[in-house]
Amino acid sequence: MTRSYNFSAGPGALPLEVLEEASKGLIEFTKGAGIQEISHRSPAFLEIRDSILSNLRQLMDIPKNYKILLCQGGATLQFTMVPMNLLKPNKKCDYLETGIWAEKAGEHARKIGDVNIIASSKGEKYTYIPKIWNIRPDTSYIHLTSNNTVYGTQIHEFPKNSNIPIVCDMSSDILSRSVDVSQFGLIYAGAQKNLGPSGVVVVIIREDLLDLVDDKTPDLLQYKKYIEYDSLYNTPPTFSFYVLDLVLKWVKNKGGVNYFENLNAEKAHLIYKEIDRSGFYKGSVVGEDRSLMNIVFHLPNKELTDRFVKEAEENNLVNLAGYRSVGGIRVSTYNAVTLEACKALSQFMRDFENKVG
Ligand SMILES: *Cc1c(COP(=O)(O)O)cnc(C)c1O
């Protein structure tokens, strides 16, 4: 069996070392039983949960006054849990609209609170990150999406010393670069892009924001309950926890977030270099807002785009078609995508252009 170079946008590629280990754990994790077949209250499983929490704290240098919790329901449930837990009595919340996921976050919040869009690049097909924000001084929080997975834009600088809590959806770039957690009130990320398999969502929350929730809110929708029960209120997706733990150990062994920050810049540069070199491939995003995780570009027409995807596949470069409403090509270069994969793709881009361009 040969594994292809996989540029999937999500669920994304996982490190081969992690998959090999996980496939063993699936058959036997503790004596004679696989990871899926033991109690989530067993010491062996509690160790996994504790290891996730301590490795995340270490890797992201999370300050003491922040709690880490492991939720379910994808990043999408956070679109609802965030306003349910963080709205002040005036129910005001402000959103930066920079892509499909940012838009959805605002839509879900609208069912619960009074949503104001502080800026939007929708009119320009989300090709940039708006820098001037119309913030209400009495808003409960400001919601950002650090990396726009579909359009390939990324926020490269976050607000510093904001009095208003900054909430950030980091689903597609968590652990890809260092961030200063103390600049945020709450960070959340679905695991299936940069952290592991789907099924688990990491939430990092500043302690003082935990008590804003209405006690009548159902238990599983209150962040407080996850902390009270150490993220084991009910049976969690145990296999997802297990693989998340393996991924975090892998990140640590490789050299942590700084190692990946440098590697990811190098990987993305290989692809952007091909885009900038000739004009055959056209990047769709404003230079300064380019994402280092999802690189979106277009070929001269649909026929060439389809041919690019097909011939790439024949060369073991898979999952490159752009998002359905955007078209073109999308190259996702999450942590588990190797430098070797990006080199192979940049070579393919040159060869393809020489052949048809
Ligand atoms: C993929 C993605 C989501 C949606 O995640 P689900 O786990 O499917 O709910 C939300 N936000 C961002 C930035 C994403 O990339």
Side-chain angles (χ1 to χ4, degrees), residues 55-90:
N55 281 328
L56 269 173
R57 192 170 290 279
Q58 194 189 335
L59 285 166
M60 293 183 70
D61 199 13
I62 299 172
K64 282 206 177 66
N65 61 327
Y66 285 74
K67 299 282 190 203
I68 309 167
L69 32 143
L70 305 169
C71 297
Q72 301 178 46
T76 303
L77 186 58
Q78 295 310 308
F79 298 165
T80 298
M81 280 180 76
V82 164
M84 271 193 154
N85 283 267
L86 299 193
L87 284 180
K88 292 190 289 198
N90 70 15

PDB file of all heavy atoms in Angstrom, residues 55-90:
ATOM      1  N   ASN A  55      -0.376  18.394  27.968  1.00  0.00           N
ATOM      2  CA  ASN A  55       0.407  18.693  26.760  1.00  0.00           C
ATOM      3  C   ASN A  55      -0.101  19.931  26.028  1.00  0.00           C
ATOM      4  O   ASN A  55       0.692  20.716  25.511  1.00  0.00           O
ATOM      5  CB  ASN A  55       0.444  17.488  25.823  1.00  0.00           C
ATOM      6  CG  ASN A  55       1.455  16.458  26.293  1.00  0.00           C
ATOM      7  OD1 ASN A  55       2.480  16.811  26.876  1.00  0.00           O
ATOM      8  ND2 ASN A  55       1.163  15.190  26.067  1.00  0.00           N
ATOM      9  N   LEU A  56      -1.412  20.107  25.994  1.00  0.00           N
ATOM     10  CA  LEU A  56      -1.953  21.324  25.375  1.00  0.00           C
ATOM     11  C   LEU A  56      -1.471  22.557  26.133  1.00  0.00           C
ATOM     12  O   LEU A  56      -1.061  23.556  25.541  1.00  0.00           O
ATOM     13  CB  LEU A  56      -3.476  21.300  25.382  1.00  0.00           C
ATOM     14  CG  LEU A  56      -4.175  20.707  24.162  1.00  0.00           C
ATOM     15  CD1 LEU A  56      -5.675  20.613  24.433  1.00  0.00           C
ATOM     16  CD2 LEU A  56      -3.912  21.529  22.908  1.00  0.00           C
ATOM     17  N   ARG A  57      -1.525  22.457  27.469  1.00  0.00           N
ATOM     18  CA  ARG A  57      -1.116  23.606  28.288  1.00  0.00           C
ATOM     19  C   ARG A  57       0.348  23.951  28.020  1.00  0.00           C
ATOM     20  O   ARG A  57       0.709  25.113  27.860  1.00  0.00           O
ATOM     21  CB  ARG A  57      -1.358  23.324  29.781  1.00  0.00           C
ATOM     22  CG  ARG A  57      -1.229  24.569  30.643  1.00  0.00           C
ATOM     23  CD  ARG A  57      -1.702  24.359  32.074  1.00  0.00           C
ATOM     24  NE  ARG A  57      -3.150  24.199  32.234  1.00  0.00           N
ATOM     25  CZ  ARG A  57      -4.036  25.204  32.269  1.00  0.00           C
ATOM     26  NH1 ARG A  57      -3.632  26.453  32.137  1.00  0.00           N
ATOM     27  NH2 ARG A  57      -5.327  24.963  32.433  1.00  0.00           N
ATOM     28  N   GLN A  58       1.163  22.922  27.922  1.00  0.00           N
ATOM     29  CA  GLN A  58       2.586  23.135  27.693  1.00  0.00           C
ATOM     30  C   GLN A  58       2.841  23.652  26.261  1.00  0.00           C
ATOM     31  O   GLN A  58       3.555  24.639  26.073  1.00  0.00           O
ATOM     32  CB  GLN A  58       3.307  21.817  27.922  1.00  0.00           C
ATOM     33  CG  GLN A  58       4.802  21.959  28.046  1.00  0.00           C
ATOM     34  CD  GLN A  58       5.474  20.590  28.061  1.00  0.00           C
ATOM     35  OE1 GLN A  58       4.865  19.578  28.424  1.00  0.00           O
ATOM     36  NE2 GLN A  58       6.731  20.554  27.658  1.00  0.00           N
ATOM     37  N   LEU A  59       2.253  23.001  25.273  1.00  0.00           N
ATOM     38  CA  LEU A  59       2.518  23.366  23.873  1.00  0.00           C
ATOM     39  C   LEU A  59       2.076  24.789  23.558  1.00  0.00           C
ATOM     40  O   LEU A  59       2.734  25.510  22.805  1.00  0.00           O
ATOM     41  CB  LEU A  59       1.816  22.392  22.922  1.00  0.00           C
ATOM     42  CG  LEU A  59       2.454  21.009  22.786  1.00  0.00           C
ATOM     43  CD1 LEU A  59       1.496  20.038  22.100  1.00  0.00           C
ATOM     44  CD2 LEU A  59       3.765  21.107  22.008  1.00  0.00           C
ATOM     45  N   MET A  60       0.941  25.199  24.129  1.00  0.00           N
ATOM     46  CA  MET A  60       0.419  26.536  23.823  1.00  0.00           C
ATOM     47  C   MET A  60       0.767  27.545  24.906  1.00  0.00           C
ATOM     48  O   MET A  60       0.353  28.689  24.821  1.00  0.00           O
ATOM     49  CB  MET A  60      -1.101  26.489  23.619  1.00  0.00           C
ATOM     50  CG  MET A  60      -1.515  25.708  22.373  1.00  0.00           C
ATOM     51  SD  MET A  60      -3.301  25.745  22.114  1.00  0.00           S
ATOM     52  CE  MET A  60      -3.561  27.459  21.632  1.00  0.00           C
ATOM     53  N   ASP A  61       1.512  27.105  25.901  1.00  0.00           N
ATOM     54  CA  ASP A  61       1.907  27.972  27.001  1.00  0.00           C
ATOM     55  C   ASP A  61       0.678  28.681  27.587  1.00  0.00           C
ATOM     56  O   ASP A  61       0.635  29.911  27.698  1.00  0.00           O
ATOM     57  CB  ASP A  61       2.943  28.991  26.472  1.00  0.00           C
ATOM     58  CG  ASP A  61       3.729  29.619  27.589  1.00  0.00           C
ATOM     59  OD1 ASP A  61       3.651  29.108  28.725  1.00  0.00           O
ATOM     60  OD2 ASP A  61       4.404  30.637  27.332  1.00  0.00           O
ATOM     61  N   ILE A  62      -0.313  27.893  27.949  1.00  0.00           N
ATOM     62  CA  ILE A  62      -1.593  28.429  28.421  1.00  0.00           C
ATOM     63  C   ILE A  62      -1.470  28.874  29.877  1.00  0.00           C
ATOM     64  O   ILE A  62      -1.099  28.079  30.741  1.00  0.00           O
ATOM     65  CB  ILE A  62      -2.710  27.361  28.268  1.00  0.00           C
ATOM     66  CG1 ILE A  62      -2.847  26.982  26.783  1.00  0.00           C
ATOM     67  CG2 ILE A  62      -4.032  27.855  28.842  1.00  0.00           C
ATOM     68  CD1 ILE A  62      -3.772  25.810  26.512  1.00  0.00           C
ATOM     69  N   PRO A  63      -1.758  30.151  30.160  1.00  0.00           N
ATOM     70  CA  PRO A  63      -1.606  30.664  31.529  1.00  0.00           C
ATOM     71  C   PRO A  63      -2.526  29.957  32.525  1.00  0.00           C
ATOM     72  O   PRO A  63      -3.541  29.363  32.145  1.00  0.00           O
ATOM     73  CB  PRO A  63      -2.004  32.140  31.401  1.00  0.00           C
ATOM     74  CG  PRO A  63      -1.918  32.472  29.952  1.00  0.00           C
ATOM     75  CD  PRO A  63      -2.197  31.194  29.213  1.00  0.00           C
ATOM     76  N   LYS A  64      -2.165  30.061  33.798  1.00  0.00           N
ATOM     77  CA  LYS A  64      -2.891  29.366  34.879  1.00  0.00           C
ATOM     78  C   LYS A  64      -4.354  29.777  34.988  1.00  0.00           C
ATOM     79  O   LYS A  64      -5.184  28.989  35.405  1.00  0.00           O
ATOM     80  CB  LYS A  64      -2.200  29.662  36.222  1.00  0.00           C
ATOM     81  CG  LYS A  64      -0.941  28.863  36.444  1.00  0.00           C
ATOM     82  CD  LYS A  64      -0.676  28.696  37.948  1.00  0.00           C
ATOM     83  CE  LYS A  64       0.547  27.828  38.209  1.00  0.00           C
ATOM     84  NZ  LYS A  64       1.783  28.501  37.730  1.00  0.00           N
ATOM     85  N   ASN A  65      -4.641  31.028  34.634  1.00  0.00           N
ATOM     86  CA  ASN A  65      -6.031  31.479  34.790  1.00  0.00           C
ATOM     87  C   ASN A  65      -6.915  31.114  33.590  1.00  0.00           C
ATOM     88  O   ASN A  65      -7.968  31.702  33.375  1.00  0.00           O
ATOM     89  CB  ASN A  65      -6.087  32.990  35.045  1.00  0.00           C
ATOM     90  CG  ASN A  65      -5.505  33.799  33.916  1.00  0.00           C
ATOM     91  OD1 ASN A  65      -4.560  33.381  33.242  1.00  0.00           O
ATOM     92  ND2 ASN A  65      -6.074  34.968  33.661  1.00  0.00           N
ATOM     93  N   TYR A  66      -6.469  30.144  32.832  1.00  0.00           N
ATOM     94  CA  TYR A  66      -7.289  29.613  31.725  1.00  0.00           C
ATOM     95  C   TYR A  66      -7.562  28.135  31.973  1.00  0.00           C
ATOM     96  O   TYR A  66      -6.687  27.411  32.448  1.00  0.00           O
ATOM     97  CB  TYR A  66      -6.571  29.742  30.374  1.00  0.00           C
ATOM     98  CG  TYR A  66      -6.552  31.146  29.833  1.00  0.00           C
ATOM     99  CD1 TYR A  66      -5.713  32.113  30.394  1.00  0.00           C
ATOM    100  CD2 TYR A  66      -7.385  31.527  28.774  1.00  0.00           C
ATOM    101  CE1 TYR A  66      -5.686  33.406  29.908  1.00  0.00           C
ATOM    102  CE2 TYR A  66      -7.359  32.816  28.287  1.00  0.00           C
ATOM    103  CZ  TYR A  66      -6.519  33.756  28.860  1.00  0.00           C
ATOM    104  OH  TYR A  66      -6.499  35.030  28.377  1.00  0.00           O
ATOM    105  N   LYS A  67      -8.778  27.701  31.644  1.00  0.00           N
ATOM    106  CA  LYS A  67      -9.150  26.291  31.742  1.00  0.00           C
ATOM    107  C   LYS A  67      -9.191  25.693  30.341  1.00  0.00           C
ATOM    108  O   LYS A  67      -9.512  26.398  29.374  1.00  0.00           O
ATOM    109  CB  LYS A  67     -10.537  26.134  32.381  1.00  0.00           C
ATOM    110  CG  LYS A  67     -10.632  26.675  33.791  1.00  0.00           C
ATOM    111  CD  LYS A  67     -10.002  25.717  34.779  1.00  0.00           C
ATOM    112  CE  LYS A  67     -10.308  26.133  36.206  1.00  0.00           C
ATOM    113  NZ  LYS A  67      -9.320  25.598  37.159  1.00  0.00           N
ATOM    114  N   ILE A  68      -8.904  24.412  30.261  1.00  0.00           N
ATOM    115  CA  ILE A  68      -9.001  23.709  28.978  1.00  0.00           C
ATOM    116  C   ILE A  68     -10.109  22.678  29.112  1.00  0.00           C
ATOM    117  O   ILE A  68     -10.138  21.920  30.084  1.00  0.00           O
ATOM    118  CB  ILE A  68      -7.692  22.970  28.642  1.00  0.00           C
ATOM    119  CG1 ILE A  68      -6.494  23.911  28.768  1.00  0.00           C
ATOM    120  CG2 ILE A  68      -7.763  22.352  27.244  1.00  0.00           C
ATOM    121  CD1 ILE A  68      -5.156  23.183  28.754  1.00  0.00           C
ATOM    122  N   LEU A  69     -11.011  22.636  28.143  1.00  0.00           N
ATOM    123  CA  LEU A  69     -12.023  21.595  28.179  1.00  0.00           C
ATOM    124  C   LEU A  69     -12.155  20.919  26.833  1.00  0.00           C
ATOM    125  O   LEU A  69     -11.794  21.483  25.801  1.00  0.00           O
ATOM    126  CB  LEU A  69     -13.366  22.106  28.682  1.00  0.00           C
ATOM    127  CG  LEU A  69     -13.778  23.532  28.405  1.00  0.00           C
ATOM    128  CD1 LEU A  69     -15.247  23.571  28.141  1.00  0.00           C
ATOM    129  CD2 LEU A  69     -13.447  24.377  29.608  1.00  0.00           C
ATOM    130  N   LEU A  70     -12.639  19.702  26.876  1.00  0.00           N
ATOM    131  CA  LEU A  70     -12.784  18.911  25.660  1.00  0.00           C
ATOM    132  C   LEU A  70     -14.269  18.663  25.446  1.00  0.00           C
ATOM    133  O   LEU A  70     -14.923  18.019  26.264  1.00  0.00           O
ATOM    134  CB  LEU A  70     -12.017  17.594  25.809  1.00  0.00           C
ATOM    135  CG  LEU A  70     -10.531  17.787  26.170  1.00  0.00           C
ATOM    136  CD1 LEU A  70      -9.886  16.457  26.578  1.00  0.00           C
ATOM    137  CD2 LEU A  70      -9.763  18.415  25.013  1.00  0.00           C
ATOM    138  N   CYS A  71     -14.789  19.235  24.349  1.00  0.00           N
ATOM    139  CA  CYS A  71     -16.218  19.146  24.071  1.00  0.00           C
ATOM    140  C   CYS A  71     -16.477  18.270  22.853  1.00  0.00           C
ATOM    141  O   CYS A  71     -15.552  17.750  22.241  1.00  0.00           O
ATOM    142  CB  CYS A  71     -16.788  20.530  23.782  1.00  0.00           C
ATOM    143  SG  CYS A  71     -16.682  21.686  25.140  1.00  0.00           S
ATOM    144  N   GLN A  72     -17.759  18.162  22.517  1.00  0.00           N
ATOM    145  CA  GLN A  72     -18.164  17.446  21.301  1.00  0.00           C
ATOM    146  C   GLN A  72     -19.018  18.384  20.453  1.00  0.00           C
ATOM    147  O   GLN A  72     -19.171  19.541  20.759  1.00  0.00           O
ATOM    148  CB  GLN A  72     -18.952  16.191  21.684  1.00  0.00           C
ATOM    149  CG  GLN A  72     -18.166  15.235  22.557  1.00  0.00           C
ATOM    150  CD  GLN A  72     -18.992  14.030  22.965  1.00  0.00           C
ATOM    151  OE1 GLN A  72     -19.659  13.423  22.148  1.00  0.00           O
ATOM    152  NE2 GLN A  72     -18.949  13.694  24.236  1.00  0.00           N
ATOM    153  N   GLY A  73     -19.575  17.842  19.376  1.00  0.00           N
ATOM    154  CA  GLY A  73     -20.479  18.654  18.555  1.00  0.00           C
ATOM    155  C   GLY A  73     -19.759  19.509  17.532  1.00  0.00           C
ATOM    156  O   GLY A  73     -20.372  20.350  16.873  1.00  0.00           O
ATOM    157  N   GLY A  74     -18.463  19.298  17.374  1.00  0.00           N
ATOM    158  CA  GLY A  74     -17.699  20.044  16.374  1.00  0.00           C
ATOM    159  C   GLY A  74     -17.554  21.513  16.732  1.00  0.00           C
ATOM    160  O   GLY A  74     -18.106  21.982  17.737  1.00  0.00           O
ATOM    161  N   ALA A  75     -16.831  22.219  15.885  1.00  0.00           N
ATOM    162  CA  ALA A  75     -16.711  23.666  16.072  1.00  0.00           C
ATOM    163  C   ALA A  75     -18.097  24.291  15.961  1.00  0.00           C
ATOM    164  O   ALA A  75     -18.391  25.305  16.597  1.00  0.00           O
ATOM    165  CB  ALA A  75     -15.765  24.250  15.038  1.00  0.00           C
ATOM    166  N   THR A  76     -18.957  23.657  15.185  1.00  0.00           N
ATOM    167  CA  THR A  76     -20.298  24.210  14.955  1.00  0.00           C
ATOM    168  C   THR A  76     -21.092  24.351  16.254  1.00  0.00           C
ATOM    169  O   THR A  76     -21.814  25.324  16.427  1.00  0.00           O
ATOM    170  CB  THR A  76     -21.060  23.336  13.940  1.00  0.00           C
ATOM    171  OG1 THR A  76     -20.279  23.281  12.736  1.00  0.00           O
ATOM    172  CG2 THR A  76     -22.420  23.908  13.618  1.00  0.00           C
ATOM    173  N   LEU A  77     -20.974  23.408  17.177  1.00  0.00           N
ATOM    174  CA  LEU A  77     -21.707  23.562  18.437  1.00  0.00           C
ATOM    175  C   LEU A  77     -21.164  24.756  19.235  1.00  0.00           C
ATOM    176  O   LEU A  77     -21.900  25.392  19.982  1.00  0.00           O
ATOM    177  CB  LEU A  77     -21.671  22.276  19.277  1.00  0.00           C
ATOM    178  CG  LEU A  77     -22.530  22.310  20.550  1.00  0.00           C
ATOM    179  CD1 LEU A  77     -24.001  22.601  20.239  1.00  0.00           C
ATOM    180  CD2 LEU A  77     -22.401  21.012  21.325  1.00  0.00           C
ATOM    181  N   GLN A  78     -19.878  25.067  19.029  1.00  0.00           N
ATOM    182  CA  GLN A  78     -19.312  26.238  19.704  1.00  0.00           C
ATOM    183  C   GLN A  78     -19.947  27.534  19.201  1.00  0.00           C
ATOM    184  O   GLN A  78     -20.004  28.527  19.928  1.00  0.00           O
ATOM    185  CB  GLN A  78     -17.792  26.287  19.543  1.00  0.00           C
ATOM    186  CG  GLN A  78     -17.073  25.134  20.237  1.00  0.00           C
ATOM    187  CD  GLN A  78     -17.525  24.972  21.677  1.00  0.00           C
ATOM    188  OE1 GLN A  78     -17.516  25.927  22.447  1.00  0.00           O
ATOM    189  NE2 GLN A  78     -17.943  23.764  22.033  1.00  0.00           N
ATOM    190  N   PHE A  79     -20.429  27.527  17.955  1.00  0.00           N
ATOM    191  CA  PHE A  79     -21.124  28.718  17.428  1.00  0.00           C
ATOM    192  C   PHE A  79     -22.318  29.049  18.331  1.00  0.00           C
ATOM    193  O   PHE A  79     -22.729  30.200  18.438  1.00  0.00           O
ATOM    194  CB  PHE A  79     -21.627  28.488  15.993  1.00  0.00           C
ATOM    195  CG  PHE A  79     -20.537  28.213  14.974  1.00  0.00           C
ATOM    196  CD1 PHE A  79     -20.871  27.691  13.718  1.00  0.00           C
ATOM    197  CD2 PHE A  79     -19.212  28.491  15.235  1.00  0.00           C
ATOM    198  CE1 PHE A  79     -19.894  27.447  12.759  1.00  0.00           C
ATOM    199  CE2 PHE A  79     -18.220  28.247  14.280  1.00  0.00           C
ATOM    200  CZ  PHE A  79     -18.572  27.725  13.044  1.00  0.00           C
ATOM    201  N   THR A  80     -22.891  28.008  18.965  1.00  0.00           N
ATOM    202  CA  THR A  80     -24.023  28.191  19.874  1.00  0.00           C
ATOM    203  C   THR A  80     -23.562  28.325  21.333  1.00  0.00           C
ATOM    204  O   THR A  80     -24.061  29.163  22.074  1.00  0.00           O
ATOM    205  CB  THR A  80     -24.993  26.989  19.742  1.00  0.00           C
ATOM    206  OG1 THR A  80     -25.484  26.968  18.405  1.00  0.00           O
ATOM    207  CG2 THR A  80     -26.154  27.099  20.704  1.00  0.00           C
ATOM    208  N   MET A  81     -22.605  27.483  21.729  1.00  0.00           N
ATOM    209  CA  MET A  81     -22.182  27.509  23.141  1.00  0.00           C
ATOM    210  C   MET A  81     -21.519  28.837  23.525  1.00  0.00           C
ATOM    211  O   MET A  81     -21.690  29.311  24.646  1.00  0.00           O
ATOM    212  CB  MET A  81     -21.225  26.341  23.436  1.00  0.00           C
ATOM    213  CG  MET A  81     -21.962  25.031  23.664  1.00  0.00           C
ATOM    214  SD  MET A  81     -20.847  23.633  24.022  1.00  0.00           S
ATOM    215  CE  MET A  81     -20.363  23.945  25.726  1.00  0.00           C
ATOM    216  N   VAL A  82     -20.782  29.416  22.598  1.00  0.00           N
ATOM    217  CA  VAL A  82     -20.108  30.683  22.918  1.00  0.00           C
ATOM    218  C   VAL A  82     -21.123  31.745  23.353  1.00  0.00           C
ATOM    219  O   VAL A  82     -21.040  32.265  24.479  1.00  0.00           O
ATOM    220  CB  VAL A  82     -19.205  31.149  21.753  1.00  0.00           C
ATOM    221  CG1 VAL A  82     -18.828  32.608  21.898  1.00  0.00           C
ATOM    222  CG2 VAL A  82     -17.948  30.282  21.664  1.00  0.00           C
ATOM    223  N   PRO A  83     -22.123  32.069  22.525  1.00  0.00           N
ATOM    224  CA  PRO A  83     -23.087  33.075  23.008  1.00  0.00           C
ATOM    225  C   PRO A  83     -23.881  32.601  24.219  1.00  0.00           C
ATOM    226  O   PRO A  83     -24.179  33.403  25.119  1.00  0.00           O
ATOM    227  CB  PRO A  83     -24.005  33.316  21.798  1.00  0.00           C
ATOM    228  CG  PRO A  83     -23.762  32.185  20.852  1.00  0.00           C
ATOM    229  CD  PRO A  83     -22.379  31.692  21.120  1.00  0.00           C
ATOM    230  N   MET A  84     -24.215  31.312  24.300  1.00  0.00           N
ATOM    231  CA  MET A  84     -24.977  30.813  25.459  1.00  0.00           C
ATOM    232  C   MET A  84     -24.232  31.057  26.766  1.00  0.00           C
ATOM    233  O   MET A  84     -24.832  31.266  27.802  1.00  0.00           O
ATOM    234  CB  MET A  84     -25.208  29.307  25.328  1.00  0.00           C
ATOM    235  CG  MET A  84     -26.452  28.966  24.588  1.00  0.00           C
ATOM    236  SD  MET A  84     -26.803  27.220  24.834  1.00  0.00           S
ATOM    237  CE  MET A  84     -28.567  27.266  24.586  1.00  0.00           C
ATOM    238  N   ASN A  85     -22.913  30.991  26.687  1.00  0.00           N
ATOM    239  CA  ASN A  85     -22.099  31.095  27.904  1.00  0.00           C
ATOM    240  C   ASN A  85     -21.526  32.479  28.164  1.00  0.00           C
ATOM    241  O   ASN A  85     -21.222  32.812  29.299  1.00  0.00           O
ATOM    242  CB  ASN A  85     -20.939  30.091  27.840  1.00  0.00           C
ATOM    243  CG  ASN A  85     -21.378  28.669  28.139  1.00  0.00           C
ATOM    244  OD1 ASN A  85     -21.314  28.228  29.269  1.00  0.00           O
ATOM    245  ND2 ASN A  85     -21.864  27.969  27.132  1.00  0.00           N
ATOM    246  N   LEU A  86     -21.344  33.267  27.120  1.00  0.00           N
ATOM    247  CA  LEU A  86     -20.574  34.508  27.309  1.00  0.00           C
ATOM    248  C   LEU A  86     -21.385  35.796  27.206  1.00  0.00           C
ATOM    249  O   LEU A  86     -20.847  36.873  27.469  1.00  0.00           O
ATOM    250  CB  LEU A  86     -19.423  34.586  26.293  1.00  0.00           C
ATOM    251  CG  LEU A  86     -18.354  33.488  26.347  1.00  0.00           C
ATOM    252  CD1 LEU A  86     -17.155  33.896  25.506  1.00  0.00           C
ATOM    253  CD2 LEU A  86     -17.903  33.176  27.757  1.00  0.00           C
ATOM    254  N   LEU A  87     -22.662  35.693  26.820  1.00  0.00           N
ATOM    255  CA  LEU A  87     -23.424  36.938  26.659  1.00  0.00           C
ATOM    256  C   LEU A  87     -23.712  37.592  28.007  1.00  0.00           C
ATOM    257  O   LEU A  87     -24.101  36.924  28.961  1.00  0.00           O
ATOM    258  CB  LEU A  87     -24.744  36.667  25.933  1.00  0.00           C
ATOM    259  CG  LEU A  87     -24.653  36.432  24.429  1.00  0.00           C
ATOM    260  CD1 LEU A  87     -26.050  36.181  23.863  1.00  0.00           C
ATOM    261  CD2 LEU A  87     -23.988  37.601  23.723  1.00  0.00           C
ATOM    262  N   LYS A  88     -23.525  38.899  28.037  1.00  0.00           N
ATOM    263  CA  LYS A  88     -23.926  39.668  29.205  1.00  0.00           C
ATOM    264  C   LYS A  88     -25.429  39.970  29.042  1.00  0.00           C
ATOM    265  O   LYS A  88     -26.009  39.692  27.994  1.00  0.00           O
ATOM    266  CB  LYS A  88     -23.105  40.959  29.270  1.00  0.00           C
ATOM    267  CG  LYS A  88     -21.629  40.661  29.580  1.00  0.00           C
ATOM    268  CD  LYS A  88     -20.839  41.920  29.885  1.00  0.00           C
ATOM    269  CE  LYS A  88     -20.636  42.752  28.653  1.00  0.00           C
ATOM    270  NZ  LYS A  88     -19.562  43.747  28.781  1.00  0.00           N
ATOM    271  N   PRO A  89     -26.076  40.535  30.077  1.00  0.00           N
ATOM    272  CA  PRO A  89     -27.536  40.738  29.976  1.00  0.00           C
ATOM    273  C   PRO A  89     -27.989  41.510  28.729  1.00  0.00           C
ATOM    274  O   PRO A  89     -29.069  41.258  28.203  1.00  0.00           O
ATOM    275  CB  PRO A  89     -27.873  41.486  31.260  1.00  0.00           C
ATOM    276  CG  PRO A  89     -26.816  41.032  32.223  1.00  0.00           C
ATOM    277  CD  PRO A  89     -25.572  40.861  31.413  1.00  0.00           C
ATOM    278  N   ASN A  90     -27.161  42.406  28.198  1.00  0.00           N
ATOM    279  CA  ASN A  90     -27.608  43.138  27.002  1.00  0.00           C
ATOM    280  C   ASN A  90     -27.557  42.271  25.736  1.00  0.00           C
ATOM    281  O   ASN A  90     -28.004  42.688  24.668  1.00  0.00           O
ATOM    282  CB  ASN A  90     -26.804  44.434  26.825  1.00  0.00           C
ATOM    283  CG  ASN A  90     -25.344  44.179  26.415  1.00  0.00           C
ATOM    284  OD1 ASN A  90     -24.980  43.077  25.985  1.00  0.00           O
ATOM    285  ND2 ASN A  90     -24.520  45.196  26.523  1.00  0.00           N
TER     286      ASN A  90
END
